[in-house]
Amino acid sequence: GDWSSDVCSSDLVYDKYTVIPEGYAYRPDLVSNKVYGYPDSWWLIMQANQIYDIKDFVAGKTIRIPVNT
């Protein structure tokens, strides 16, 4: 059958976007802890946003928060 008929839009999970708040600059581990409940996925956030230097993780920057699968 058609696979798309088996997928309900409520089953789809999309990445979210947020702005790095004051106090979280240079601290993707804190953002990871806030959104996922643990700090260990900081690298997923960095990778999803193509941020390779911690100095580029600055307050006020809009970032994508990948769905943690």
Side-chain angles (χ1 to χ4, degrees):
D2 181 9
W3 69 269
S4 63
S5 64
D6 298 330
V7 178
C8 178
S9 64
S10 64
D11 293 335
L12 301 176
V13 181
Y14 298 99
D15 291 349
K16 297 181 173 133
Y17 290 83
T18 191
V19 174
I20 301 171
E22 290 292 329
Y24 286 74
Y26 319 117
R27 297 297 307 271
D29 59 319
L30 295 180
V31 175
S32 173
N33 196 55
K34 184 170 179 119
V35 298
Y36 298 131
Y38 47 89
D40 300 338
S41 292
W42 63 268
W43 63 274
L44 283 172
I45 296 168
M46 296 281 286
Q47 186 179 54
N49 291 281
Q50 299 178 344
I51 299 173
Y52 304 108
D53 188 333
I54 198 68
K55 294 177 196 161
D56 294 329
F57 199 86
V58 295
K61 183 180 197 125
T62 300
I63 56 169
R64 181 168 64 97
I65 304 296
V67 174
N68 195 20
T69 56

